[in-house]
Amino acid sequence: AQSVTQLDSQVPVFEEAPVELRCNYSSSVSVYLFWYVQYPNQGLQLLLKYLSGSTLVKGINGFEAEFNKSQTSFHLRKPSVHISDTAEYFCAVSARAYKLSFGAGTTVTVRA
Amino acid sequence: GAVVSQHPSRVICKSGTSVKIECRSLDFQATTMFWYRQFPKKSLMLMATSNEGSKATYEQGVEKDKFLINHASLTLSTLTVTSAHPEDSSFYICSVEPRGDSPLHFGNGTRLTVT
């Protein structure tokens, strides 16, 4: 089985500052890794995914994440956030195609 | 545009009644869909895998008689919450297993409130 731990439940950040959301996973097999964003009362939107290949993955809205196999991490970063980045962010892992296990989520609040 | 359509977006029902939530794959035929439940301030919990033409596969702890799943066509899966209770109030989200290397697409969710 796979599991995900998101190390920060809430991350307040000022506009135009950088942000990093931490995600660690556990699995006995190779995995696929994802970051999703959820705006209030909406479904999930894929930010980026790691399936194989380059460990630095670039996604939408200026986000990127780095897969670190030795540290079993997949941290999400953005160099400069906007007010519109205020949302809930979920890290997810899957060993079998697209049957995902989600982390508990990180609430990002961007302040002016 | 949207790849997955979920309906209704919000529903309020009385205890003891049943509620049906629809999940449609708009762009392609989907043999597999997933149903998740999200509690307030919590992550998504996979409830079941919906398989076209066969029985759904439920995760441990999910009552199959309580949450009926029907995947009668390649574009439609339905989740029926039977004999609803206030503790069934939650946000339900469906997703569609994609083709190839495409990302997993989610519906916009259904906010169920049982009074």
Side-chain angles (χ1 to χ4, degrees), chain A residues 30-51:
Chain A
S30 296
V31 295
Y32 308 116
L33 293 157
F34 307 84
W35 275 99
Y36 285 87
V37 61
Q38 184 181 34
Y39 300 102
N41 291 312
Q42 292 189 26
L44 276 71
Q45 180 181 8
L46 180 71
L47 283 176
L48 47 81
K49 60 183 178 181
Y50 172 79
L51 302 181

Side-chain angles (χ1 to χ4, degrees), chain B residues 83-98:
Chain B
S83 187
H85 292 286
E87 55 264 33
D88 297 326
S89 298
S90 194
F91 195 56
Y92 295 87
I93 307 177
C94 71
S95 66
V96 174
E97 185 175 44

Side-chain angles (χ1 to χ4, degrees), chain B:
Chain B
V3 176
V4 180
S5 173
Q6 191 171 339
H7 178 80
S9 58
R10 292 176 180 269
V11 59
I12 301 172
C13 71
K14 293 184 177 180
S15 290
T17 61
S18 295
V19 173
K20 181 184 288 187
I21 303 169
E22 294 186 346
C23 180
R24 292 182 184 275
S25 175
L26 300 180
D27 280 5
F28 56 88
Q29 296 178 331
T31 56
T32 304
M33 297 185 184
F34 303 100
W35 286 98
Y36 292 86
R37 181 174 180 177
Q38 186 178 31
F39 294 94
K41 305 295 184 183
K42 297 287 185 182
S43 185
L44 283 76
M45 178 191 76
L46 179 65
M47 298 174 65
T49 301
S50 174
N51 305 298
E52 189 272 334
S54 65
K55 292 182 179 180
T57 305
Y58 289 82
E59 297 300 306
Q60 190 173 7
V62 178
E63 300 176 61
K64 59 181 67 176
D65 295 330
K66 173 75 171 174
F67 299 100
L68 299 179
I69 291 174
N70 186 298
H71 195 147
S73 78
L74 286 170
T75 58
L76 174 65
S77 174
T78 61
L79 168 68
T80 301
V81 182
T82 62
S83 187
H85 292 286
E87 55 264 33
D88 297 326
S89 298
S90 194
F91 195 56
Y92 295 87
I93 307 177
C94 71
S95 66
V96 174
E97 185 175 44
R99 290 175 169 171
D101 200 27
S102 299
L104 187 64
H105 295 287
F106 286 86
N108 277 333
T110 297
R111 172 74 60 192
L112 170 63
T113 303
V114 184
T115 61

